[in-house]
Amino acid sequence: MRSAKDFFRPLAVGAPQPLTEIPARPSRAIHFFDPSNEKMAAKIPQMVGTVDVLLGNLEDAVKADNKVAAREGLVRIAQETADLGGQSGSTQLWTRINALDSPWVLDDLTTLVPAIGDKLDVIMVPKVQGAEDIHYIDRILAQLEAKAGLARPILVHAILETARGVANIEEICGASPRMQGLSLGPADLAADRRMKTTRVGGGHPGYLVRQDPPRGDDGTAQIDADRTTYQQDLWHYTIARMVDACAMHGIYPYYGPFGDIADVVACEDQFRNAFLLGCVGTWSLHPKQIEIANRVFSPSVEDIRHARRVVAAMGDGTGAVMLDGKMEDDASLKQCLVMVQLAEELAAIDPKLKAQYDAITLD
Ligand SMILES: CC(C)(COP(=O)(O)OP(=O)(O)OC[C@H]1O[C@@H](n2cnc3c(N)ncnc32)[C@H](O)[C@@H]1OP(=O)(O)O)[C@@H](O)C(=O)NCCC(=O)NCCSC(=O)C[C@H](O)C(=O)O
Ligand SMILES: [Mg+2]
Protein backbone atom coordinates (compact mmCIF):
# COMPACT_ATOMS: atom_id res chain seq x y z
CA MET A 1 0.00 0.00 0.00
CA ARG A 2 1.41 3.43 -0.95
CA SER A 3 1.68 6.05 1.77
CA ALA A 4 -0.83 8.91 1.72
CA LYS A 5 1.99 11.26 0.60
CA ASP A 6 2.77 9.13 -2.47
CA PHE A 7 -0.74 8.21 -3.47
CA PHE A 8 -1.20 11.04 -5.99
CA ARG A 9 2.31 10.86 -7.49
CA PRO A 10 2.48 9.63 -11.10
CA LEU A 11 3.69 6.01 -11.28
CA ALA A 12 6.00 6.64 -14.25
CA VAL A 13 8.23 9.55 -15.18
CA GLY A 14 6.29 11.70 -17.64
CA ALA A 15 2.89 10.18 -16.86
CA PRO A 16 0.00 12.62 -16.31
CA GLN A 17 -0.78 13.84 -12.81
CA PRO A 18 -3.44 11.57 -11.18
CA LEU A 19 -6.77 13.22 -10.41
CA THR A 20 -7.58 13.97 -6.78
CA GLU A 21 -11.30 13.80 -7.49
CA ILE A 22 -13.19 11.63 -9.96
CA PRO A 23 -15.37 13.86 -12.15
CA ALA A 24 -19.11 13.22 -11.84
CA ARG A 25 -19.77 12.83 -15.56
CA PRO A 26 -23.27 11.52 -16.28
CA SER A 27 -23.09 7.83 -17.16
CA ARG A 28 -26.64 6.54 -16.90
CA ALA A 29 -26.13 3.94 -19.64
CA ILE A 30 -22.81 2.33 -20.49
CA HIS A 31 -23.74 0.93 -23.88
CA PHE A 32 -21.82 -2.19 -24.91
CA PHE A 33 -20.98 -2.91 -28.52
CA ASP A 34 -18.71 -5.44 -30.21
CA PRO A 35 -16.35 -3.43 -32.45
CA SER A 36 -15.74 -6.54 -34.60
CA ASN A 37 -19.45 -6.76 -35.45
CA GLU A 38 -19.86 -4.66 -38.58
CA LYS A 39 -23.59 -4.14 -38.15
CA MET A 40 -23.15 -2.88 -34.59
CA ALA A 41 -20.09 -0.82 -35.40
CA ALA A 42 -21.95 0.94 -38.22
CA LYS A 43 -24.53 2.16 -35.71
CA ILE A 44 -22.02 3.79 -33.34
CA PRO A 45 -21.60 7.23 -35.02
CA GLN A 46 -25.35 7.85 -34.95
CA MET A 47 -25.53 6.80 -31.28
CA VAL A 48 -23.11 9.53 -30.18
CA GLY A 49 -25.08 12.16 -28.26
CA THR A 50 -27.94 9.75 -27.51
CA VAL A 51 -26.15 7.77 -24.80
CA ASP A 52 -23.79 8.89 -22.03
CA VAL A 53 -21.14 6.18 -22.57
CA LEU A 54 -20.27 3.97 -25.54
CA LEU A 55 -18.14 0.98 -24.52
CA GLY A 56 -16.17 -1.02 -27.05
CA ASN A 57 -16.21 -4.50 -25.55
CA LEU A 58 -13.18 -6.68 -26.14
CA GLU A 59 -13.87 -9.38 -23.51
CA ASP A 60 -16.67 -11.93 -23.09
CA ALA A 61 -19.31 -11.92 -25.85
CA VAL A 62 -16.55 -11.30 -28.43
CA LYS A 63 -15.54 -14.55 -30.12
CA ALA A 64 -11.92 -15.63 -29.58
CA ASP A 65 -11.36 -15.51 -33.36
CA ASN A 66 -12.53 -11.89 -33.41
CA LYS A 67 -10.40 -10.50 -30.57
CA VAL A 68 -7.91 -8.78 -32.84
CA ALA A 69 -10.62 -7.47 -35.14
CA ALA A 70 -12.50 -6.07 -32.12
CA ARG A 71 -9.38 -4.26 -30.86
CA GLU A 72 -8.61 -2.84 -34.30
CA GLY A 73 -12.26 -1.96 -34.86
CA LEU A 74 -12.31 0.02 -31.63
CA VAL A 75 -9.21 1.97 -32.65
CA ARG A 76 -10.80 2.79 -36.01
CA ILE A 77 -14.13 3.83 -34.48
CA ALA A 78 -12.44 6.04 -31.89
CA GLN A 79 -10.27 7.73 -34.53
CA GLU A 80 -13.06 8.24 -37.06
CA THR A 81 -16.07 9.14 -34.90
CA ALA A 82 -16.57 12.82 -34.16
CA ASP A 83 -17.59 13.99 -30.69
CA LEU A 84 -16.80 10.61 -29.09
CA GLY A 85 -14.52 10.35 -26.05
CA GLY A 86 -12.05 12.69 -24.38
CA GLN A 87 -12.96 15.72 -22.35
CA SER A 88 -14.84 17.43 -25.19
CA GLY A 89 -16.82 14.42 -26.49
CA SER A 90 -20.56 14.58 -25.87
CA THR A 91 -20.49 10.81 -25.33
CA GLN A 92 -17.72 9.19 -23.28
CA LEU A 93 -15.69 6.35 -24.77
CA TRP A 94 -14.92 3.39 -22.55
CA THR A 95 -13.56 -0.05 -23.28
CA ARG A 96 -13.70 -3.39 -21.49
CA ILE A 97 -10.32 -5.07 -21.92
CA ASN A 98 -9.79 -8.81 -21.73
CA ALA A 99 -9.17 -10.49 -18.37
CA LEU A 100 -5.73 -10.09 -16.82
CA ASP A 101 -4.96 -13.82 -17.20
CA SER A 102 -5.99 -13.92 -20.87
CA PRO A 103 -3.61 -14.01 -23.87
CA TRP A 104 -5.08 -10.76 -25.24
CA VAL A 105 -4.92 -8.20 -22.45
CA LEU A 106 -1.34 -7.00 -22.89
CA ASP A 107 -1.93 -6.33 -26.59
CA ASP A 108 -5.21 -4.60 -25.71
CA LEU A 109 -3.37 -2.11 -23.51
CA THR A 110 -0.28 -1.62 -25.65
CA THR A 111 -2.43 -1.06 -28.75
CA LEU A 112 -5.20 1.10 -27.33
CA VAL A 113 -3.26 3.57 -25.19
CA PRO A 114 -0.83 4.81 -27.88
CA ALA A 115 -3.50 4.81 -30.60
CA ILE A 116 -6.54 6.27 -28.83
CA GLY A 117 -5.44 7.01 -25.25
CA ASP A 118 -6.45 10.67 -25.67
CA LYS A 119 -10.03 9.59 -26.43
CA LEU A 120 -10.41 6.70 -23.96
CA ASP A 121 -12.08 7.97 -20.81
CA VAL A 122 -12.29 4.77 -18.79
CA ILE A 123 -10.91 1.23 -19.04
CA MET A 124 -13.15 -1.41 -17.51
CA VAL A 125 -11.20 -4.32 -16.05
CA PRO A 126 -13.09 -7.62 -15.71
CA LYS A 127 -12.83 -10.22 -12.95
CA VAL A 128 -10.84 -8.04 -10.58
CA GLN A 129 -9.82 -10.10 -7.55
CA GLY A 130 -7.98 -7.64 -5.34
CA ALA A 131 -5.89 -4.48 -5.14
CA GLU A 132 -2.98 -6.27 -6.85
CA ASP A 133 -4.92 -6.36 -10.15
CA ILE A 134 -5.52 -2.61 -10.01
CA HIS A 135 -1.86 -1.96 -9.07
CA TYR A 136 -0.75 -3.89 -12.17
CA ILE A 137 -3.06 -1.90 -14.45
CA ASP A 138 -2.14 1.37 -12.72
CA ARG A 139 1.59 0.95 -13.32
CA ILE A 140 1.35 -0.25 -16.91
CA LEU A 141 -1.09 2.54 -17.80
CA ALA A 142 1.29 5.12 -16.32
CA GLN A 143 4.14 3.77 -18.46
CA LEU A 144 2.03 3.71 -21.62
CA GLU A 145 0.59 7.17 -20.97
CA ALA A 146 4.09 8.58 -20.45
CA LYS A 147 5.30 6.99 -23.69
CA ALA A 148 2.27 8.31 -25.59
CA GLY A 149 2.64 11.79 -24.06
CA LEU A 150 -0.91 11.83 -22.74
CA ALA A 151 -1.96 14.87 -20.73
CA ARG A 152 -4.85 13.25 -18.88
CA PRO A 153 -4.89 9.95 -16.94
CA ILE A 154 -7.15 7.18 -18.18
CA LEU A 155 -9.51 6.09 -15.41
CA VAL A 156 -10.12 2.50 -14.33
CA HIS A 157 -13.40 0.75 -13.57
CA ALA A 158 -13.48 -2.71 -11.95
CA ILE A 159 -16.12 -5.36 -12.50
CA LEU A 160 -17.06 -7.35 -9.40
CA GLU A 161 -17.48 -10.86 -10.66
CA THR A 162 -15.66 -13.13 -8.24
CA ALA A 163 -16.29 -13.94 -4.60
CA ARG A 164 -12.75 -12.81 -3.82
CA GLY A 165 -13.37 -9.51 -5.58
CA VAL A 166 -16.46 -8.94 -3.43
CA ALA A 167 -14.53 -9.86 -0.27
CA ASN A 168 -11.78 -7.37 -1.25
CA ILE A 169 -14.14 -4.65 -2.41
CA GLU A 170 -12.89 -1.81 -0.20
CA GLU A 171 -9.23 -2.36 -1.06
CA ILE A 172 -10.10 -2.51 -4.78
CA CYS A 173 -11.92 0.84 -4.60
CA GLY A 174 -8.99 2.46 -2.79
CA ALA A 175 -6.19 0.83 -4.80
CA SER A 176 -5.48 3.75 -7.14
CA PRO A 177 -6.49 7.37 -7.76
CA ARG A 178 -7.54 6.11 -11.21
CA MET A 179 -10.45 4.13 -9.74
CA GLN A 180 -13.60 5.59 -11.30
CA GLY A 181 -16.17 3.00 -10.21
CA LEU A 182 -17.44 -0.54 -9.91
CA SER A 183 -19.99 -2.59 -11.82
CA LEU A 184 -21.73 -5.78 -10.86
CA GLY A 185 -20.94 -8.75 -13.13
CA PRO A 186 -23.81 -11.00 -12.04
CA ALA A 187 -23.23 -13.83 -14.54
CA ASP A 188 -19.57 -14.47 -13.72
CA LEU A 189 -20.17 -13.77 -10.04
CA ALA A 190 -22.98 -16.33 -9.92
CA ALA A 191 -20.71 -18.96 -11.49
CA ASP A 192 -17.80 -18.13 -9.20
CA ARG A 193 -20.03 -18.29 -6.13
CA ARG A 194 -21.55 -21.56 -7.38
CA MET A 195 -25.01 -20.00 -7.27
CA LYS A 196 -27.63 -22.26 -8.87
CA THR A 197 -28.82 -19.80 -11.48
CA THR A 198 -28.42 -19.74 -15.27
CA ARG A 199 -29.21 -16.10 -16.09
CA VAL A 200 -27.36 -12.86 -16.84
CA GLY A 201 -28.57 -10.63 -14.00
CA GLY A 202 -32.11 -10.08 -12.85
CA GLY A 203 -34.18 -12.07 -10.38
CA HIS A 204 -35.14 -15.72 -10.00
CA PRO A 205 -38.65 -17.02 -9.21
CA GLY A 206 -37.23 -19.55 -6.76
CA TYR A 207 -35.58 -16.91 -4.55
CA LEU A 208 -38.52 -15.87 -2.43
CA VAL A 209 -40.11 -15.59 0.96
CA ARG A 210 -43.62 -16.90 1.68
CA GLN A 211 -46.35 -15.48 3.84
CA ASP A 212 -46.86 -17.32 7.16
CA PRO A 213 -49.51 -20.09 7.04
CA PRO A 214 -52.96 -19.31 8.41
CA ARG A 215 -53.95 -21.21 11.58
CA GLY A 216 -56.86 -23.70 11.78
CA ASP A 217 -59.44 -23.58 14.61
CA ASP A 218 -57.20 -25.90 16.63
CA GLY A 219 -54.21 -23.65 16.08
CA THR A 220 -52.43 -25.91 13.56
CA ALA A 221 -50.54 -24.25 10.73
CA GLN A 222 -52.33 -24.74 7.36
CA ILE A 223 -49.18 -25.08 5.29
CA ASP A 224 -51.09 -26.13 2.14
CA ALA A 225 -53.28 -23.00 2.16
CA ASP A 226 -52.81 -20.41 -0.59
CA ARG A 227 -50.05 -18.09 0.57
CA THR A 228 -48.58 -15.06 -1.12
CA THR A 229 -44.91 -15.31 -2.06
CA TYR A 230 -42.60 -12.37 -2.59
CA GLN A 231 -39.70 -12.69 -5.01
CA GLN A 232 -36.48 -11.31 -3.51
CA ASP A 233 -33.56 -9.56 -5.15
CA LEU A 234 -30.58 -11.91 -5.54
CA TRP A 235 -28.25 -8.93 -6.00
CA HIS A 236 -29.29 -6.73 -3.11
CA TYR A 237 -26.36 -7.67 -0.86
CA THR A 238 -23.69 -7.19 -3.51
CA ILE A 239 -25.10 -3.92 -4.83
CA ALA A 240 -25.41 -2.54 -1.31
CA ARG A 241 -21.77 -3.44 -0.61
CA MET A 242 -20.71 -1.79 -3.87
CA VAL A 243 -22.60 1.39 -3.04
CA ASP A 244 -20.99 1.69 0.40
CA ALA A 245 -17.47 0.89 -0.82
CA CYS A 246 -17.78 3.39 -3.69
CA ALA A 247 -19.23 6.16 -1.51
CA MET A 248 -16.44 5.63 1.01
CA HIS A 249 -13.82 6.12 -1.75
CA GLY A 250 -15.52 8.88 -3.75
CA ILE A 251 -16.11 6.69 -6.81
CA TYR A 252 -19.26 5.51 -8.61
CA PRO A 253 -21.30 2.28 -8.42
CA TYR A 254 -23.20 0.80 -11.38
CA TYR A 255 -25.57 -2.10 -11.87
CA GLY A 256 -24.37 -4.38 -14.71
CA PRO A 257 -26.01 -6.40 -17.48
CA PHE A 258 -29.66 -7.43 -17.70
CA GLY A 259 -29.59 -10.29 -20.19
CA ASP A 260 -33.32 -10.76 -20.79
CA ILE A 261 -33.45 -8.16 -23.55
CA ALA A 262 -37.13 -8.87 -24.30
CA ASP A 263 -38.28 -8.29 -20.70
CA VAL A 264 -38.09 -4.51 -20.64
CA VAL A 265 -40.38 -4.35 -17.61
CA ALA A 266 -38.20 -6.46 -15.29
CA CYS A 267 -35.13 -4.70 -16.69
CA GLU A 268 -36.60 -1.37 -15.64
CA ASP A 269 -37.34 -2.74 -12.15
CA GLN A 270 -33.78 -4.02 -11.71
CA PHE A 271 -32.34 -0.71 -12.91
CA ARG A 272 -34.65 1.25 -10.60
CA ASN A 273 -33.69 -0.80 -7.54
CA ALA A 274 -30.04 -0.01 -8.29
CA PHE A 275 -30.81 3.70 -8.80
CA LEU A 276 -32.71 3.91 -5.51
CA LEU A 277 -29.89 2.15 -3.64
CA GLY A 278 -27.31 4.65 -4.92
CA CYS A 279 -26.02 3.44 -8.29
CA VAL A 280 -25.41 6.16 -10.90
CA GLY A 281 -25.94 4.02 -13.98
CA THR A 282 -26.05 0.60 -15.57
CA TRP A 283 -24.97 -1.34 -18.64
CA SER A 284 -27.05 -1.43 -21.78
CA LEU A 285 -26.58 -4.48 -24.00
CA HIS A 286 -29.15 -3.65 -26.68
CA PRO A 287 -30.22 -0.26 -28.08
CA LYS A 288 -33.63 -0.62 -26.46
CA GLN A 289 -32.09 -0.68 -22.96
CA ILE A 290 -30.59 2.83 -23.43
CA GLU A 291 -33.93 4.62 -23.16
CA ILE A 292 -34.81 2.61 -20.04
CA ALA A 293 -31.50 3.46 -18.37
CA ASN A 294 -31.66 7.15 -19.30
CA ARG A 295 -35.16 7.41 -17.88
CA VAL A 296 -34.58 5.39 -14.70
CA PHE A 297 -31.24 6.99 -13.77
CA SER A 298 -32.61 10.55 -14.20
CA PRO A 299 -34.60 11.82 -11.19
CA SER A 300 -38.27 12.28 -12.06
CA VAL A 301 -39.76 15.75 -12.40
CA GLU A 302 -41.93 14.99 -9.34
CA ASP A 303 -38.88 14.05 -7.25
CA ILE A 304 -37.04 17.22 -8.28
CA ARG A 305 -40.07 19.35 -7.56
CA HIS A 306 -40.30 17.84 -4.07
CA ALA A 307 -36.54 18.16 -3.51
CA ARG A 308 -36.59 21.83 -4.49
CA ARG A 309 -39.57 22.49 -2.17
CA VAL A 310 -37.66 20.93 0.73
CA VAL A 311 -34.59 23.03 -0.10
CA ALA A 312 -36.74 26.19 -0.18
CA ALA A 313 -38.58 25.29 3.04
CA MET A 314 -35.38 24.52 4.93
CA GLY A 315 -33.98 28.05 4.58
CA ASP A 316 -30.49 28.02 6.12
CA GLY A 317 -30.55 24.20 6.13
CA THR A 318 -30.88 23.66 9.88
CA GLY A 319 -33.78 22.80 12.15
CA ALA A 320 -36.98 20.94 11.30
CA VAL A 321 -40.07 21.96 9.29
CA MET A 322 -43.37 20.32 8.35
CA LEU A 323 -44.10 19.95 4.62
CA ASP A 324 -47.24 18.13 3.40
CA GLY A 325 -47.62 16.55 6.84
CA LYS A 326 -44.05 15.22 6.92
CA MET A 327 -41.07 16.27 8.98
CA GLU A 328 -38.08 17.54 7.02
CA ASP A 329 -34.71 18.28 8.61
CA ASP A 330 -30.99 18.54 7.86
CA ALA A 331 -30.80 14.87 6.83
CA SER A 332 -33.76 14.83 4.45
CA LEU A 333 -32.40 18.10 3.02
CA LYS A 334 -29.09 16.35 2.25
CA GLN A 335 -30.95 13.64 0.33
CA CYS A 336 -32.83 16.30 -1.60
CA LEU A 337 -29.56 18.08 -2.43
CA VAL A 338 -28.19 14.81 -3.91
CA MET A 339 -31.18 14.75 -6.27
CA VAL A 340 -30.98 18.46 -7.13
CA GLN A 341 -27.26 18.20 -7.89
CA LEU A 342 -27.79 15.14 -10.10
CA ALA A 343 -30.58 16.96 -11.94
CA GLU A 344 -28.23 19.90 -12.59
CA GLU A 345 -25.47 17.59 -13.92
CA LEU A 346 -27.93 15.82 -16.21
CA ALA A 347 -29.60 19.03 -17.38
CA ALA A 348 -26.19 20.28 -18.50
CA ILE A 349 -25.92 17.45 -21.05
CA ASP A 350 -29.58 16.61 -21.79
CA PRO A 351 -31.62 19.52 -23.22
CA LYS A 352 -34.92 17.58 -23.00
CA LEU A 353 -34.43 16.93 -19.29
CA LYS A 354 -33.30 20.53 -18.77
CA ALA A 355 -36.56 21.79 -20.27
CA GLN A 356 -38.57 19.48 -17.99
CA TYR A 357 -36.66 20.52 -14.86
CA ASP A 358 -36.78 24.22 -15.84
CA ALA A 359 -40.58 24.04 -16.18
CA ILE A 360 -41.05 22.93 -12.56
CA THR A 361 -43.01 25.35 -10.36
CA LEU A 362 -42.87 25.14 -6.58
CA ASP A 363 -46.35 26.18 -5.40
C1 LIG B 1 -27.97 -9.43 -27.38
C2 LIG B 1 -27.57 -9.33 -28.84
C3 LIG B 1 -26.78 -10.57 -29.23
C4 LIG B 1 -28.84 -9.23 -29.68
O1 LIG B 1 -28.43 -8.97 -31.01
P1 LIG B 1 -29.46 -9.12 -32.24
O2 LIG B 1 -30.06 -10.50 -32.22
O3 LIG B 1 -28.76 -8.69 -33.48
O4 LIG B 1 -30.60 -8.09 -31.80
P2 LIG B 1 -31.63 -7.35 -32.71
O5 LIG B 1 -31.96 -8.14 -33.93
O6 LIG B 1 -32.79 -6.97 -31.85
O7 LIG B 1 -30.88 -6.04 -33.13
C5 LIG B 1 -31.52 -4.99 -33.81
C6 LIG B 1 -30.48 -4.12 -34.46
O8 LIG B 1 -29.70 -3.48 -33.45
C7 LIG B 1 -28.32 -3.82 -33.63
N1 LIG B 1 -27.75 -4.03 -32.28
C8 LIG B 1 -28.01 -5.02 -31.43
N2 LIG B 1 -27.31 -4.88 -30.31
C9 LIG B 1 -26.59 -3.75 -30.46
C10 LIG B 1 -25.67 -3.08 -29.65
N3 LIG B 1 -25.33 -3.57 -28.43
N4 LIG B 1 -25.14 -1.93 -30.09
C11 LIG B 1 -25.44 -1.44 -31.33
N5 LIG B 1 -26.30 -2.05 -32.15
C12 LIG B 1 -26.87 -3.19 -31.72
C13 LIG B 1 -28.31 -5.11 -34.43
O9 LIG B 1 -27.10 -5.23 -35.12
C14 LIG B 1 -29.51 -4.91 -35.34
O10 LIG B 1 -29.11 -4.08 -36.42
P3 LIG B 1 -29.88 -4.10 -37.83
O11 LIG B 1 -29.96 -5.54 -38.26
O12 LIG B 1 -29.03 -3.25 -38.74
O13 LIG B 1 -31.23 -3.50 -37.57
C15 LIG B 1 -26.75 -8.03 -29.09
O14 LIG B 1 -27.55 -6.96 -28.72
C16 LIG B 1 -25.44 -8.00 -28.36
O15 LIG B 1 -24.50 -8.72 -28.71
N6 LIG B 1 -25.32 -7.12 -27.38
C17 LIG B 1 -24.10 -6.92 -26.61
C18 LIG B 1 -23.82 -8.13 -25.74
C19 LIG B 1 -22.63 -7.87 -24.84
O16 LIG B 1 -21.91 -6.93 -24.98
N7 LIG B 1 -22.43 -8.74 -23.86
C20 LIG B 1 -21.35 -8.58 -22.94
C21 LIG B 1 -21.78 -7.80 -21.72
S1 LIG B 1 -22.68 -8.77 -20.53
C22 LIG B 1 -21.43 -9.69 -19.80
O17 LIG B 1 -20.33 -9.72 -20.27
C23 LIG B 1 -21.71 -10.47 -18.54
C24 LIG B 1 -20.97 -9.87 -17.37
O18 LIG B 1 -19.61 -9.74 -17.59
C25 LIG B 1 -21.22 -10.74 -16.19
O19 LIG B 1 -20.35 -11.52 -15.82
O20 LIG B 1 -22.33 -10.61 -15.65
MG1 LIG C 1 -18.41 -11.24 -16.82
Side-chain angles (χ1 to χ4, degrees):
M1 185 66 95
R2 276 181 279 170
S3 83
K5 288 204 299 301
D6 291 338
F7 192 66
F8 291 103
R9 290 221 177 114
L11 285 178
V13 174
Q17 183 64 40
L19 303 181
T20 51
E21 200 170 325
I22 299 301
R25 294 184 74 179
S27 40
R28 295 163 291 183
I30 303 167
H31 181 72
F32 275 59
F33 67 96
D34 173 353
S36 73
N37 177 321
E38 282 176 17
K39 261 167 62 173
M40 275 192 208
K43 294 202 157 40
I44 298 309
Q46 70 222 39
M47 294 176 89
V48 172
T50 69
V51 59
D52 296 342
V53 179
L54 282 163
L55 180 145
N57 178 32
L58 307 182
E59 200 226 6
D60 293 357
V62 175
K63 279 180 139 335
D65 286 350
N66 292 345
K67 293 289 184 183
V68 175
R71 191 189 297 138
E72 287 171 355
L74 178 58
V75 168
R76 200 168 41 251
I77 289 166
Q79 287 173 340
E80 292 174 3
T81 309
D83 209 19
L84 174 62
Q87 265 167 323
S88 57
S90 68
T91 289
Q92 296 182 59
L93 178 65
W94 294 22
T95 186
R96 179 171 76 170
I97 56 173
N98 284 288
L100 298 184
D101 60 356
S102 76
W104 304 291
V105 64
L106 193 59
D107 289 341
D108 290 344
L109 292 166
T110 56
T111 303
L112 296 180
V113 177
I116 56 168
D118 56 333
K119 298 199 115 196
L120 264 185
D121 295 292
V122 176
I123 292 182
M124 192 181 262
V125 185
K127 302 175 179 72
V128 171
Q129 302 267 15
E132 70 279 8
D133 290 341
I134 303 300
H135 294 159
Y136 169 77
I137 289 286
D138 201 5
R139 181 74 73 174
I140 197 165
L141 280 180
Q143 290 170 342
L144 291 168
E145 286 167 347
K147 201 167 167 204
L150 296 186
R152 185 183 63 109
I154 299 170
L155 301 181
V156 168
H157 181 109
I159 316 179
L160 273 191
E161 36 193 5
T162 66
R164 187 150 90 81
V166 176
N168 291 332
I169 190 165
E170 283 87 7
E171 67 165 49
I172 291 170
C173 291
S176 160
R178 290 181 195 276
M179 281 300 299
Q180 179 274 344
L182 292 181
S183 284
L184 173 71
D188 272 302
L189 183 55
D192 192 66
R193 282 175 170 164
R194 304 183 68 74
M195 287 167 65
K196 307 303 179 290
T197 53
T198 55
R199 303 170 172 208
V200 177
H204 192 289
Y207 193 69
L208 50 80
V209 291
R210 188 179 300 268
Q211 190 183 29
D212 276 4
R215 299 271 159 189
D217 292 342
D218 61 355
T220 1
Q222 311 285 299
I223 59 168
D224 292 327
D226 274 351
R227 286 189 275 160
T228 309
T229 58
Y230 304 90
Q231 196 172 318
Q232 307 292 295
D233 184 356
L234 284 167
W235 305 110
H236 177 82
Y237 157 77
T238 316
I239 293 175
R241 281 209 66 182
M242 278 174 36
V243 168
D244 284 345
C246 287
M248 172 180 163
H249 286 281
I251 67 174
Y252 302 102
Y254 297 76
Y255 179 69
F258 191 88
D260 190 345
I261 309 288
D263 193 350
V264 290
V265 177
C267 174
E268 176 165 342
D269 292 336
Q270 184 81 61
F271 288 0
R272 183 163 291 105
N273 288 349
F275 174 66
L276 288 171
L277 269 187
C279 290
V280 298
T282 185
W283 299 5
S284 141
L285 304 184
H286 187 280
K288 66 180 167 189
Q289 292 185 336
I290 295 174
E291 182 277 327
I292 304 173
N294 282 353
R295 179 160 39 82
V296 170
F297 285 90
S298 305
S300 69
V301 163
E302 208 29 65
D303 279 345
I304 294 306
R305 181 171 175 276
H306 174 74
R308 286 186 189 162
R309 288 182 71 221
V310 172
V311 173
M314 281 296 293
D316 74 355
T318 61
V321 296
M322 286 292 282
L323 195 63
D324 305 334
K326 296 189 184 123
M327 189 277 299
E328 308 289 348
D329 69 358
D330 314 49
S332 60
L333 172 67
K334 283 182 205 153
Q335 294 172 64
C336 292
L337 290 173
V338 168
M339 299 284 245
V340 169
Q341 190 186 339
L342 176 58
E344 282 167 10
E345 286 160 8
L346 293 172
I349 58 134
D350 187 331
K352 222 165 114 193
L353 261 186
K354 179 172 165 30
Q356 289 173 16
Y357 293 147
D358 283 352
I360 294 172
T361 53
L362 293 195
D363 43 35

